[in-house]
Amino acid sequence: MPDGRNAGEVYERLMATLVNEEVGSLMRPHIVVCSSRDTAMVCYSGPYPDGLSALIAAERDARQVFDDLDLHFQVSPLLPP
């Protein structure tokens, strides 16, 4: 069993790896998914070059919809098939 110092180093390496993977994921193309909670309607926009661009588009689109529509906007990475 690793001692406390080794366990701390392992934890730090693991956290650094996870952070690097997540940051890398944000740099990949993303889409915006808009779905209605009242109907089965789902639509997509994009792809956007990165997660931040998709988030900005989702925020812009959410501000433009009518308040009486129950729409949900989500940003998702565009993953290979």
Side-chain angles (χ1 to χ4, degrees):
M1 179 164 230
D3 62 27
R5 185 187 55 162
N6 289 338
E9 291 171 2
V10 169
Y11 176 80
E12 286 179 20
R13 284 196 313 265
L14 176 61
M15 290 305 294
T17 299
L18 291 173
V19 167
N20 287 336
E21 287 180 8
E22 288 300 313
V23 169
S25 174
L26 289 173
M27 302 307 290
R28 295 185 188 111
H30 280 64
I31 59 172
V32 174
V33 181
C34 176
S35 58
S36 169
R37 295 182 181 140
D38 297 332
T39 67
M41 181 203 77
V42 176
C43 62
Y44 308 89
S45 66
Y48 298 92
D50 53 51
L52 181 58
S53 299
L55 182 60
I56 291 168
E59 291 288 329
R60 179 200 63 221
D61 293 348
R63 284 193 307 268
Q64 292 178 353
V65 298
F66 298 106
D67 290 335
D68 59 338
L69 296 176
D70 193 12
L71 299 177
H72 176 72
F73 291 86
Q74 181 175 336
V75 172
S76 179
L78 188 58
L79 301 174

